[in-house]
Amino acid sequence: MNSFGQLIRLTTFGESHGPAMGGVLDGMPPMVRIDIDEIRRHLARRRPGDKPCVSQRRESDEPEFLSGISTDGLTLGTPIGFIVRNLDARSGDYDGYSGKFRPNHADYTYYKKYGIHDFRGGGRASARETVSWVVAGSIARQWLEHLGIAIRAEFIETNNVADTAAEGDSTGGIVRCSVTGVTSPVGEPVHDKLHSRLAAAMMSINAAKGFEYGDGCRSAYMTGSASMDIFAPAGGDTPRILSNHSGGIQGGIANGMPIEFTVYFKPTPTVMQRVDSIDAAGNPCVIEPKGRHDPCVAIRAVPVVESMAALVLADMTRLDNSLSIHLRQ
């Protein structure tokens, strides 16, 4: 499945060590002014090579837009096509991985499903795929900002990344995200809840192992009275909500409070240590440490989390707006 979303849909293509990554973002409303420098800023936050404790693969990550945006920066309402060229792949670094399954990577499962082992950086399973998500999400969030919706995530360190990397190991991490300004009842009941869409989006990110919103897993240890969000009058038909245990979502629909969720990331499975494994013939082998890898993937996942949240909210806001227009007509 290489497409994501319904009314605002992103379809991506490309492999980590191919000529380019790219995508088509369809369904964006027309006449939305897009700041390309803003897209570049978010790509720079995800970009490898120019900060400590991240992969030293050096990519410019310059987006090239092929359609859907006018020369003066307005969306046309037509599909927005774009590519980001791969300029520093160094496929030779991975020659020693040919026919070998790296533990905790997608090597084995992709081989079992497709019969092909793209050992050059993992192909479509590589986190390089997320560069297209950040391009598309940066476009979607600019429309959301016009609607007063802001998205901000932060990295939370769980182990000392620098010390762990110096030991040739890797570590997991946490990304916490908050969305403010969602005043309309975005989300659908039953099978298309806002939090289920967000969960699906976040769990599609490489190395994501857990998702929770509001009190999340802590709710299992709480009492009902302690986890209750009390309503209070505020004048008019919009009440105040005195707490936010629900993380801004109730019944699958945004309730006007900040939407707050957390994503938990596992350690990067490639470590700078010899690792025992098997090859495609089932024979024992050794994975030698080589290549350029993130000691903590969660660091560069921050703009990816924001971008996927933007795509979800833009899609569901577009659906909500479409229904409202239909009802008014």
Side-chain angles (χ1 to χ4, degrees):
M1 190 64 180
N2 298 297
S3 297
F4 176 81
Q6 296 181 17
L7 294 185
I8 294 182
R9 177 183 293 264
L10 171 65
T11 300
T12 66
F13 57 86
E15 292 82 37
S16 176
H17 285 222
M21 310 303 294
V24 176
L25 181 64
D26 199 6
M28 274 292 294
M31 302 299 290
V32 178
R33 186 163 297 283
I34 301 300
D35 184 344
I36 305 301
D37 285 337
E38 182 71 3
I39 298 173
R40 292 188 181 107
R41 186 177 73 81
H42 292 302
L43 285 169
R45 297 167 61 213
R46 196 217 72 96
R47 185 170 58 218
D50 59 356
K51 57 182 75 71
C53 294
V54 302
S55 166
Q56 292 306 296
R57 176 171 173 169
R58 296 192 175 275
E59 297 285 356
S60 65
D61 284 354
E62 177 65 24
E64 300 176 33
F65 291 95
L66 311 177
S67 64
I69 299 177
S70 69
T71 55
D72 57 350
L74 292 174
T75 58
L76 303 175
T78 57
I80 300 172
F82 61 88
I83 60 171
V84 178
R85 298 186 188 276
N86 296 326
L87 303 175
D88 188 30
R90 278 173 41 180
S91 299
D93 286 355
Y94 294 85
D95 287 346
Y97 295 159
S98 179
K100 299 178 180 180
F101 300 134
R102 295 169 295 170
N104 284 37
H105 277 271
D107 295 350
Y108 174 73
T109 52
Y110 270 49
Y111 179 76
K112 291 294 290 184
K113 186 172 183 67
Y114 301 111
I116 297 173
H117 176 209
D118 190 349
F119 58 90
R120 305 166 308 147
R124 291 284 289 161
S126 169
R128 181 72 181 148
E129 158 71 10
T130 63
V131 71
S132 298
W133 306 358
V134 173
V135 173
S138 299
I139 294 170
R141 73 190 294 171
Q142 290 190 45
W143 177 51
L144 293 174
E145 287 167 359
H146 288 307
L147 302 177
I149 297 172
I151 303 170
R152 180 174 176 79
E154 61 176 339
F155 166 66
I156 300 170
E157 192 172 39
T158 54
N159 292 301
N160 188 293
V161 178
D163 289 351
T164 303
E167 296 170 357
D169 213 335
S170 63
T171 179
I174 298 171
V175 176
R176 186 171 293 147
C177 188
S178 179
V179 183
T180 56
V182 181
T183 56
S184 61
V186 174
E188 303 300 317
V190 191
H191 293 302
D192 208 14
K193 295 179 169 70
L194 176 55
H195 57 266
S196 66
R197 284 272 211 109
L198 286 170
M202 299 308 145
M203 294 303 292
S204 69
I205 301 173
N206 309 66
K209 283 295 186 179
F211 169 89
E212 63 182 13
Y213 70 102
D215 286 337
C217 296
R218 289 172 296 168
S219 299
Y221 301 93
M222 299 172 70
T223 62
S225 57
S227 66
M228 196 174 298
D229 293 323
I230 302 296
F231 293 104
D237 59 358
T238 302
R240 286 189 304 133
I241 304 176
L242 302 184
S243 58
N244 196 21
H245 298 288
S246 300
I249 305 170
Q250 292 173 328
I253 300 170
N255 67 3
M257 293 289 283
I259 297 167
E260 297 176 340
F261 62 88
T262 305
V263 189
Y264 298 84
F265 290 87
K266 71 176 183 179
T268 312
T270 298
V271 294
M272 294 296 101
Q273 303 172 9
R274 289 167 57 97
V275 177
D276 293 329
S277 188
I278 62 168
D279 61 22
N283 300 314
C285 67
V286 174
I287 305 294
E288 298 285 353
K290 199 170 184 181
R292 299 160 295 175
H293 308 281
D294 292 276
C296 180
V297 71
I299 295 173
R300 292 200 293 129
V302 172
V304 181
V305 167
E306 292 174 349
S307 295
M308 293 304 282
L311 288 169
V312 169
L313 287 160
D315 188 25
M316 300 200 83
T317 297
R318 184 81 193 236
L319 175 61
D320 189 54
N321 287 349
S322 298
L323 290 172
S324 297
I325 293 169
H326 175 72
L327 290 171
R328 286 199 300 269
Q329 291 174 341

PDB file of all heavy atoms in Angstrom, residues 249-274:
ATOM      1  N   ILE A 249      -9.616  14.189  22.245  1.00  0.00           N
ATOM      2  CA  ILE A 249     -10.456  13.348  21.384  1.00  0.00           C
ATOM      3  C   ILE A 249     -11.411  12.554  22.259  1.00  0.00           C
ATOM      4  O   ILE A 249     -10.987  11.868  23.192  1.00  0.00           O
ATOM      5  CB  ILE A 249      -9.608  12.381  20.541  1.00  0.00           C
ATOM      6  CG1 ILE A 249      -8.554  13.134  19.732  1.00  0.00           C
ATOM      7  CG2 ILE A 249     -10.497  11.554  19.614  1.00  0.00           C
ATOM      8  CD1 ILE A 249      -7.534  12.239  19.056  1.00  0.00           C
ATOM      9  N   GLN A 250     -12.695  12.629  21.950  1.00  0.00           N
ATOM     10  CA  GLN A 250     -13.700  11.843  22.663  1.00  0.00           C
ATOM     11  C   GLN A 250     -14.672  11.267  21.651  1.00  0.00           C
ATOM     12  O   GLN A 250     -15.147  11.986  20.762  1.00  0.00           O
ATOM     13  CB  GLN A 250     -14.435  12.708  23.688  1.00  0.00           C
ATOM     14  CG  GLN A 250     -13.522  13.143  24.850  1.00  0.00           C
ATOM     15  CD  GLN A 250     -14.178  14.131  25.783  1.00  0.00           C
ATOM     16  OE1 GLN A 250     -14.991  14.942  25.359  1.00  0.00           O
ATOM     17  NE2 GLN A 250     -13.801  14.088  27.063  1.00  0.00           N
ATOM     18  N   GLY A 251     -14.929   9.977  21.761  1.00  0.00           N
ATOM     19  CA  GLY A 251     -15.801   9.321  20.790  1.00  0.00           C
ATOM     20  C   GLY A 251     -15.220   9.315  19.391  1.00  0.00           C
ATOM     21  O   GLY A 251     -15.951   9.191  18.410  1.00  0.00           O
ATOM     22  N   GLY A 252     -13.909   9.468  19.293  1.00  0.00           N
ATOM     23  CA  GLY A 252     -13.263   9.491  17.982  1.00  0.00           C
ATOM     24  C   GLY A 252     -13.286  10.833  17.306  1.00  0.00           C
ATOM     25  O   GLY A 252     -12.818  10.966  16.164  1.00  0.00           O
ATOM     26  N   ILE A 253     -13.794  11.883  17.996  1.00  0.00           N
ATOM     27  CA  ILE A 253     -13.980  13.204  17.403  1.00  0.00           C
ATOM     28  C   ILE A 253     -13.272  14.240  18.271  1.00  0.00           C
ATOM     29  O   ILE A 253     -13.317  14.163  19.503  1.00  0.00           O
ATOM     30  CB  ILE A 253     -15.487  13.526  17.291  1.00  0.00           C
ATOM     31  CG1 ILE A 253     -16.180  12.488  16.396  1.00  0.00           C
ATOM     32  CG2 ILE A 253     -15.711  14.930  16.735  1.00  0.00           C
ATOM     33  CD1 ILE A 253     -17.691  12.565  16.419  1.00  0.00           C
ATOM     34  N   ALA A 254     -12.612  15.202  17.629  1.00  0.00           N
ATOM     35  CA  ALA A 254     -11.915  16.258  18.373  1.00  0.00           C
ATOM     36  C   ALA A 254     -12.906  17.061  19.201  1.00  0.00           C
ATOM     37  O   ALA A 254     -13.976  17.441  18.715  1.00  0.00           O
ATOM     38  CB  ALA A 254     -11.174  17.172  17.399  1.00  0.00           C
ATOM     39  N   ASN A 255     -12.535  17.338  20.475  1.00  0.00           N
ATOM     40  CA  ASN A 255     -13.458  18.055  21.356  1.00  0.00           C
ATOM     41  C   ASN A 255     -13.063  19.517  21.577  1.00  0.00           C
ATOM     42  O   ASN A 255     -13.670  20.210  22.388  1.00  0.00           O
ATOM     43  CB  ASN A 255     -13.577  17.328  22.706  1.00  0.00           C
ATOM     44  CG  ASN A 255     -12.292  17.357  23.522  1.00  0.00           C
ATOM     45  OD1 ASN A 255     -11.290  17.965  23.120  1.00  0.00           O
ATOM     46  ND2 ASN A 255     -12.305  16.691  24.670  1.00  0.00           N
ATOM     47  N   GLY A 256     -12.039  19.998  20.866  1.00  0.00           N
ATOM     48  CA  GLY A 256     -11.635  21.397  20.973  1.00  0.00           C
ATOM     49  C   GLY A 256     -10.430  21.632  21.855  1.00  0.00           C
ATOM     50  O   GLY A 256      -9.809  22.692  21.794  1.00  0.00           O
ATOM     51  N   MET A 257     -10.090  20.667  22.699  1.00  0.00           N
ATOM     52  CA  MET A 257      -8.876  20.759  23.509  1.00  0.00           C
ATOM     53  C   MET A 257      -7.665  20.379  22.658  1.00  0.00           C
ATOM     54  O   MET A 257      -7.811  19.786  21.584  1.00  0.00           O
ATOM     55  CB  MET A 257      -8.990  19.831  24.727  1.00  0.00           C
ATOM     56  CG  MET A 257     -10.037  20.257  25.729  1.00  0.00           C
ATOM     57  SD  MET A 257      -9.557  21.749  26.641  1.00  0.00           S
ATOM     58  CE  MET A 257      -8.386  21.063  27.813  1.00  0.00           C
ATOM     59  N   PRO A 258      -6.453  20.708  23.103  1.00  0.00           N
ATOM     60  CA  PRO A 258      -5.277  20.273  22.350  1.00  0.00           C
ATOM     61  C   PRO A 258      -5.271  18.755  22.157  1.00  0.00           C
ATOM     62  O   PRO A 258      -5.561  17.995  23.083  1.00  0.00           O
ATOM     63  CB  PRO A 258      -4.111  20.720  23.238  1.00  0.00           C
ATOM     64  CG  PRO A 258      -4.653  21.883  24.000  1.00  0.00           C
ATOM     65  CD  PRO A 258      -6.093  21.557  24.259  1.00  0.00           C
ATOM     66  N   ILE A 259      -4.970  18.335  20.941  1.00  0.00           N
ATOM     67  CA  ILE A 259      -4.839  16.908  20.636  1.00  0.00           C
ATOM     68  C   ILE A 259      -3.407  16.510  20.990  1.00  0.00           C
ATOM     69  O   ILE A 259      -2.447  17.020  20.413  1.00  0.00           O
ATOM     70  CB  ILE A 259      -5.139  16.635  19.154  1.00  0.00           C
ATOM     71  CG1 ILE A 259      -6.582  17.015  18.839  1.00  0.00           C
ATOM     72  CG2 ILE A 259      -4.866  15.173  18.796  1.00  0.00           C
ATOM     73  CD1 ILE A 259      -6.899  17.073  17.358  1.00  0.00           C
ATOM     74  N   GLU A 260      -3.273  15.625  21.961  1.00  0.00           N
ATOM     75  CA  GLU A 260      -1.957  15.272  22.481  1.00  0.00           C
ATOM     76  C   GLU A 260      -1.743  13.772  22.374  1.00  0.00           C
ATOM     77  O   GLU A 260      -2.575  12.985  22.831  1.00  0.00           O
ATOM     78  CB  GLU A 260      -1.829  15.740  23.932  1.00  0.00           C
ATOM     79  CG  GLU A 260      -1.931  17.260  24.062  1.00  0.00           C
ATOM     80  CD  GLU A 260      -1.904  17.744  25.505  1.00  0.00           C
ATOM     81  OE1 GLU A 260      -2.183  16.915  26.400  1.00  0.00           O
ATOM     82  OE2 GLU A 260      -1.603  18.931  25.729  1.00  0.00           O
ATOM     83  N   PHE A 261      -0.626  13.400  21.751  1.00  0.00           N
ATOM     84  CA  PHE A 261      -0.317  11.973  21.613  1.00  0.00           C
ATOM     85  C   PHE A 261       1.193  11.765  21.677  1.00  0.00           C
ATOM     86  O   PHE A 261       1.977  12.698  21.532  1.00  0.00           O
ATOM     87  CB  PHE A 261      -0.901  11.406  20.321  1.00  0.00           C
ATOM     88  CG  PHE A 261      -0.375  12.020  19.060  1.00  0.00           C
ATOM     89  CD1 PHE A 261       0.780  11.524  18.447  1.00  0.00           C
ATOM     90  CD2 PHE A 261      -1.029  13.092  18.454  1.00  0.00           C
ATOM     91  CE1 PHE A 261       1.269  12.079  17.282  1.00  0.00           C
ATOM     92  CE2 PHE A 261      -0.550  13.653  17.277  1.00  0.00           C
ATOM     93  CZ  PHE A 261       0.607  13.146  16.692  1.00  0.00           C
ATOM     94  N   THR A 262       1.579  10.517  21.884  1.00  0.00           N
ATOM     95  CA  THR A 262       2.974  10.149  22.055  1.00  0.00           C
ATOM     96  C   THR A 262       3.283   8.936  21.193  1.00  0.00           C
ATOM     97  O   THR A 262       2.457   8.010  21.086  1.00  0.00           O
ATOM     98  CB  THR A 262       3.276   9.818  23.537  1.00  0.00           C
ATOM     99  OG1 THR A 262       2.879  10.936  24.347  1.00  0.00           O
ATOM    100  CG2 THR A 262       4.753   9.538  23.752  1.00  0.00           C
ATOM    101  N   VAL A 263       4.462   8.939  20.571  1.00  0.00           N
ATOM    102  CA  VAL A 263       4.915   7.818  19.747  1.00  0.00           C
ATOM    103  C   VAL A 263       6.233   7.305  20.330  1.00  0.00           C
ATOM    104  O   VAL A 263       7.138   8.095  20.625  1.00  0.00           O
ATOM    105  CB  VAL A 263       5.118   8.239  18.276  1.00  0.00           C
ATOM    106  CG1 VAL A 263       5.376   7.008  17.410  1.00  0.00           C
ATOM    107  CG2 VAL A 263       3.917   9.020  17.754  1.00  0.00           C
ATOM    108  N   TYR A 264       6.317   5.987  20.477  1.00  0.00           N
ATOM    109  CA  TYR A 264       7.501   5.350  21.049  1.00  0.00           C
ATOM    110  C   TYR A 264       8.274   4.623  19.945  1.00  0.00           C
ATOM    111  O   TYR A 264       7.690   3.848  19.176  1.00  0.00           O
ATOM    112  CB  TYR A 264       7.095   4.358  22.140  1.00  0.00           C
ATOM    113  CG  TYR A 264       6.383   5.016  23.307  1.00  0.00           C
ATOM    114  CD1 TYR A 264       5.017   5.269  23.264  1.00  0.00           C
ATOM    115  CD2 TYR A 264       7.091   5.392  24.443  1.00  0.00           C
ATOM    116  CE1 TYR A 264       4.365   5.883  24.328  1.00  0.00           C
ATOM    117  CE2 TYR A 264       6.451   5.997  25.516  1.00  0.00           C
ATOM    118  CZ  TYR A 264       5.093   6.237  25.448  1.00  0.00           C
ATOM    119  OH  TYR A 264       4.451   6.849  26.499  1.00  0.00           O
ATOM    120  N   PHE A 265       9.584   4.880  19.872  1.00  0.00           N
ATOM    121  CA  PHE A 265      10.422   4.309  18.822  1.00  0.00           C
ATOM    122  C   PHE A 265      11.430   3.329  19.404  1.00  0.00           C
ATOM    123  O   PHE A 265      12.042   3.582  20.440  1.00  0.00           O
ATOM    124  CB  PHE A 265      11.168   5.417  18.078  1.00  0.00           C
ATOM    125  CG  PHE A 265      10.269   6.269  17.228  1.00  0.00           C
ATOM    126  CD1 PHE A 265       9.624   7.379  17.765  1.00  0.00           C
ATOM    127  CD2 PHE A 265      10.042   5.953  15.899  1.00  0.00           C
ATOM    128  CE1 PHE A 265       8.789   8.165  16.994  1.00  0.00           C
ATOM    129  CE2 PHE A 265       9.207   6.731  15.120  1.00  0.00           C
ATOM    130  CZ  PHE A 265       8.579   7.840  15.660  1.00  0.00           C
ATOM    131  N   LYS A 266      11.618   2.218  18.710  1.00  0.00           N
ATOM    132  CA  LYS A 266      12.601   1.220  19.129  1.00  0.00           C
ATOM    133  C   LYS A 266      14.015   1.686  18.762  1.00  0.00           C
ATOM    134  O   LYS A 266      14.192   2.616  17.965  1.00  0.00           O
ATOM    135  CB  LYS A 266      12.317  -0.116  18.439  1.00  0.00           C
ATOM    136  CG  LYS A 266      12.628  -0.113  16.936  1.00  0.00           C
ATOM    137  CD  LYS A 266      12.430  -1.480  16.326  1.00  0.00           C
ATOM    138  CE  LYS A 266      12.806  -1.471  14.842  1.00  0.00           C
ATOM    139  NZ  LYS A 266      12.645  -2.799  14.219  1.00  0.00           N
ATOM    140  N   PRO A 267      15.036   1.025  19.302  1.00  0.00           N
ATOM    141  CA  PRO A 267      16.401   1.333  18.883  1.00  0.00           C
ATOM    142  C   PRO A 267      16.607   0.981  17.406  1.00  0.00           C
ATOM    143  O   PRO A 267      16.001   0.033  16.893  1.00  0.00           O
ATOM    144  CB  PRO A 267      17.263   0.434  19.781  1.00  0.00           C
ATOM    145  CG  PRO A 267      16.385   0.054  20.924  1.00  0.00           C
ATOM    146  CD  PRO A 267      14.997   0.034  20.383  1.00  0.00           C
ATOM    147  N   THR A 268      17.443   1.728  16.727  1.00  0.00           N
ATOM    148  CA  THR A 268      17.808   1.407  15.349  1.00  0.00           C
ATOM    149  C   THR A 268      18.387  -0.008  15.319  1.00  0.00           C
ATOM    150  O   THR A 268      19.309  -0.306  16.091  1.00  0.00           O
ATOM    151  CB  THR A 268      18.859   2.406  14.828  1.00  0.00           C
ATOM    152  OG1 THR A 268      18.432   3.727  15.139  1.00  0.00           O
ATOM    153  CG2 THR A 268      19.063   2.253  13.345  1.00  0.00           C
ATOM    154  N   PRO A 269      17.885  -0.904  14.463  1.00  0.00           N
ATOM    155  CA  PRO A 269      18.355  -2.294  14.509  1.00  0.00           C
ATOM    156  C   PRO A 269      19.778  -2.494  13.995  1.00  0.00           C
ATOM    157  O   PRO A 269      20.392  -3.520  14.290  1.00  0.00           O
ATOM    158  CB  PRO A 269      17.340  -3.043  13.639  1.00  0.00           C
ATOM    159  CG  PRO A 269      16.744  -2.012  12.758  1.00  0.00           C
ATOM    160  CD  PRO A 269      16.750  -0.737  13.541  1.00  0.00           C
ATOM    161  N   THR A 270      20.317  -1.559  13.216  1.00  0.00           N
ATOM    162  CA  THR A 270      21.702  -1.664  12.781  1.00  0.00           C
ATOM    163  C   THR A 270      22.605  -1.046  13.834  1.00  0.00           C
ATOM    164  O   THR A 270      22.460   0.134  14.172  1.00  0.00           O
ATOM    165  CB  THR A 270      21.924  -0.960  11.439  1.00  0.00           C
ATOM    166  OG1 THR A 270      21.115  -1.591  10.436  1.00  0.00           O
ATOM    167  CG2 THR A 270      23.378  -1.051  11.010  1.00  0.00           C
ATOM    168  N   VAL A 271      23.524  -1.833  14.344  1.00  0.00           N
ATOM    169  CA  VAL A 271      24.478  -1.349  15.346  1.00  0.00           C
ATOM    170  C   VAL A 271      25.890  -1.578  14.822  1.00  0.00           C
ATOM    171  O   VAL A 271      26.124  -2.420  13.955  1.00  0.00           O
ATOM    172  CB  VAL A 271      24.282  -2.058  16.708  1.00  0.00           C
ATOM    173  CG1 VAL A 271      22.935  -1.701  17.305  1.00  0.00           C
ATOM    174  CG2 VAL A 271      24.415  -3.570  16.560  1.00  0.00           C
ATOM    175  N   MET A 272      26.836  -0.825  15.329  1.00  0.00           N
ATOM    176  CA  MET A 272      28.223  -0.947  14.902  1.00  0.00           C
ATOM    177  C   MET A 272      28.933  -2.049  15.688  1.00  0.00           C
ATOM    178  O   MET A 272      29.960  -1.844  16.323  1.00  0.00           O
ATOM    179  CB  MET A 272      28.937   0.397  15.052  1.00  0.00           C
ATOM    180  CG  MET A 272      28.421   1.483  14.119  1.00  0.00           C
ATOM    181  SD  MET A 272      28.688   1.095  12.357  1.00  0.00           S
ATOM    182  CE  MET A 272      27.058   0.521  11.851  1.00  0.00           C
ATOM    183  N   GLN A 273      28.322  -3.231  15.644  1.00  0.00           N
ATOM    184  CA  GLN A 273      28.855  -4.417  16.299  1.00  0.00           C
ATOM    185  C   GLN A 273      28.577  -5.623  15.407  1.00  0.00           C
ATOM    186  O   GLN A 273      27.623  -5.612  14.624  1.00  0.00           O
ATOM    187  CB  GLN A 273      28.200  -4.633  17.669  1.00  0.00           C
ATOM    188  CG  GLN A 273      28.335  -3.476  18.640  1.00  0.00           C
ATOM    189  CD  GLN A 273      27.504  -3.670  19.894  1.00  0.00           C
ATOM    190  OE1 GLN A 273      26.944  -4.736  20.129  1.00  0.00           O
ATOM    191  NE2 GLN A 273      27.413  -2.632  20.712  1.00  0.00           N
ATOM    192  N   ARG A 274      29.399  -6.664  15.493  1.00  0.00           N
ATOM    193  CA  ARG A 274      29.140  -7.902  14.763  1.00  0.00           C
ATOM    194  C   ARG A 274      27.880  -8.562  15.331  1.00  0.00           C
ATOM    195  O   ARG A 274      27.710  -8.666  16.549  1.00  0.00           O
ATOM    196  CB  ARG A 274      30.325  -8.848  14.870  1.00  0.00           C
ATOM    197  CG  ARG A 274      31.553  -8.404  14.080  1.00  0.00           C
ATOM    198  CD  ARG A 274      32.777  -9.203  14.490  1.00  0.00           C
ATOM    199  NE  ARG A 274      32.578 -10.638  14.331  1.00  0.00           N
ATOM    200  CZ  ARG A 274      32.968 -11.353  13.271  1.00  0.00           C
ATOM    201  NH1 ARG A 274      33.587 -10.739  12.266  1.00  0.00           N
ATOM    202  NH2 ARG A 274      32.764 -12.641  13.208  1.00  0.00           N
TER     203      ARG A 274
END
